[in-house]
């Protein structure tokens, strides 16, 4: 039953030790040439065609803050401006814009744009971008749709891919929380090197920063386009951000579908495992013969550690969502402690197996279970206590995947160095120890069986014994070795294989 839970620990070890810092700042829209707004404005001076000239002048001599205000004003002016016919376009060196008036029944709209042309429905030659608007917008004849492609000056912000901003809005509507997402597909004309990755983000006009809230970046390395799938309308851009170590080989980030599947596997398996572990404890308590077995007493300690880990893991995300500092601190402490106790009892299982199968004789140790308990429960308590004494602020809400702003938070360790030293470090030590113990045990069993007088039939028995020992691998966490194949191109396959093999 303990084997049902190893992949949950992988979820904690992998995601909690390979994420960027939790408090990552939003990239500024105006990295260079900031300045007080108000020197230039389109408002009250001219229409959309005139405003594009004002915008061009701002790009040449004005501050970045003026430019941000100007593109916002341009969008609003184009919404209110009357047009003749179903659509009207504006083309210049800095702006490519489309005003589209829907008919009575809006069934969605595709917009295609290049450097010198923009039109709905059909792709012009050398199209740079395709915008897919869903029917959920429910735009009518009085709700003009406005699309703008702005050539953003490199002097303002160097991280914007191809210097392009994409603005979308609907007259008299504030669009957010869409179930049918808006998709903006940008053709990649410049190579993205191995140290960068695209990130779809929108402009938050209040602090003038980029944010990825509500946007998903659909891209794999080598692909000739990137799709920004967002649940709201505003100005968007593709930023080139540095990749983390696990993303350098191209597939370190899981797709939303894979993340959803693995999340369901984790939560369902965690719940089933918790139920099975509780039943195991009840059977142990009610069966006197089982309670007298020393090996079963070792096993039941590991079971209790797993129950604590399951229980606190299931509740941690709910506690983090409530944002109660005191409760979250307790939850983070308990989750860290239960994870470390699971590691320690897993190592003690390897030590106990070694004594039973290798030492065999003269293995009596005075107060054996008491000494194991001191190590299994005491050492993790010391580690957690040291972390609290140094800084209790290390324990607070942290995202399971900080590369996505809408990801689930749990209460755990936020400091990367503490996380690596007290989570990944113990895991590696326990894994190496159990690998050595398991290899020595197999070798010893094989040697004993092969030298007995029963000949070939006994060798067959030895093979069966080794198969039995292979089954014990899950108890010792040997199959955790798949964690070392869960990076780069093997990331997704490694995660699925890990979950399948360790939940059998």
């Amino acid at each position: 039953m303990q084997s049902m839970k190893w992949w949950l620990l992988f979820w904690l070890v992998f995601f909690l030790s390979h994420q960027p810092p939790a408090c990552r700042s939003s990239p500024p829209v105006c990295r260079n040439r900031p300045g007080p707004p108000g020197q230039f404005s389109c408002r009250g001076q001219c229409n959309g065609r005139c405003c594009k000239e004002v915008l061009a002048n701002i790009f040449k001599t004005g501050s970045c803050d003026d430019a941000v205000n100007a593109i916002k004003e341009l969008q609003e002016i184009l919404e209110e401006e009357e047009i003749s016919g179903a659509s009207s376009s504006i083309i210049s060196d800095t702006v490519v814009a489309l005003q589209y008036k829907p008919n009575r029944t809006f069934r969605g709209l595709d917009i295609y744009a290049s450097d010198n042309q923009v039109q709905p429905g059909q792709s012009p030659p050398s199209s740079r971008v395709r915008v897919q608007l869903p029917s959920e917008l429910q735009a009518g004849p009085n709700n003009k749709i406005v699309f703008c492609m702005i050539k953003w000056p490199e002097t303002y912000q160097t991280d914007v891919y191809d210097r392009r901003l994409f603005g979308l809005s609907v007259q008299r509507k504030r669009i957010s929380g869409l179930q049918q997402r808006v998709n903006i597909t940008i053709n990649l004309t410049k190579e993205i090197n191995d140290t960068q990755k695209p990130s779809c983000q929108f402009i938050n006009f209040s602090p003038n920063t980029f944010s990825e809230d509500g946007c998903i970046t659909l891209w794999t390395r080598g692909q000739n386009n990137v799709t920004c799938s967002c649940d709201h309308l505003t100005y968007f851009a593709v930023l080139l951000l540095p990749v983390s170590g696990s993303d350098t080989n191209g597939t370190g980030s899981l797709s939303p579908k894979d993340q959803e599947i693995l999340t369901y596997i984790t939560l369902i398996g965690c719940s089933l495992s918790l139920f099975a572990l509780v039943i195991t404890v009840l059977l142990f308590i009610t069966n006197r013969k089982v309670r007298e077995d020393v090996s079963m007493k070792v096993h039941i300690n590991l079971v209790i550690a797993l129950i604590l880990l399951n229980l606190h893991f299931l509740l941690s995300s709910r506690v983090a969502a409530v944002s109660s500092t005191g409760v979250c601190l307790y939850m983070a402490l308990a989750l860290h402690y239960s994870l470390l106790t699971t590691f320690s009892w897993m190592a003690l299982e390897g030590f106990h197996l070694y004594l039973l199968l290798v030492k065999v004789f003269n293995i009596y140790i005075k107060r054996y279970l008491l000494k194991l308990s001191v190590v299994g429960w005491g050492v993790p308590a010391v580690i957690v206590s040291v972390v609290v004494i140094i800084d209790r602020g290390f324990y607070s809400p942290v995202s399971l995947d900080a590369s996505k702003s809408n990801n689930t938070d749990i209460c755990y360790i936020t400091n990367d160095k503490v996380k690596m030293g007290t989570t990944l470090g113990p895991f590696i030590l326990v894994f190496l120890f159990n690998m050595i113990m398991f290899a020595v045990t197999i070798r010893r069993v094989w040697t004993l069986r092969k030298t007995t007088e029963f000949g070939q039939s006994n060798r067959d028995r030895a093979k069966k014994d080794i198969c039995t020992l292979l089954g014990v691998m899950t108890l010792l966490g040997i199959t955790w070795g798949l964690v070392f194949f869960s990076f780069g191109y093997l990331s997704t396959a490694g995660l699925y294989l890990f979950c399948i093999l360790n939940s059998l």
Side-chain angles (χ1 to χ4, degrees), residues 19 30 70 76 83 154 193 200 419:
Q19 57 175 323
C30 297
E76 295 170 353
I83 62 173
E154 193 171 8
N193 62 49
C200 295
K419 194 182 307 172

Side-chain angles (χ1 to χ4, degrees), residues 7 18 45 77 135 142 156 170 183 225-226 232 310 328 358 380 396 432 440 478 482 496 498:
W7 52 265
H18 291 88
Q45 296 185 28
I77 290 172
S135 58
N142 296 323
Y156 291 165
V170 177
N183 291 323
N225 60 61
V226 57
H232 59 288
N310 278 280
C328 190
V358 179
S396 60
L432 292 177
V440 170
I478 303 302
L482 288 170
Y496 275 103
F498 190 101

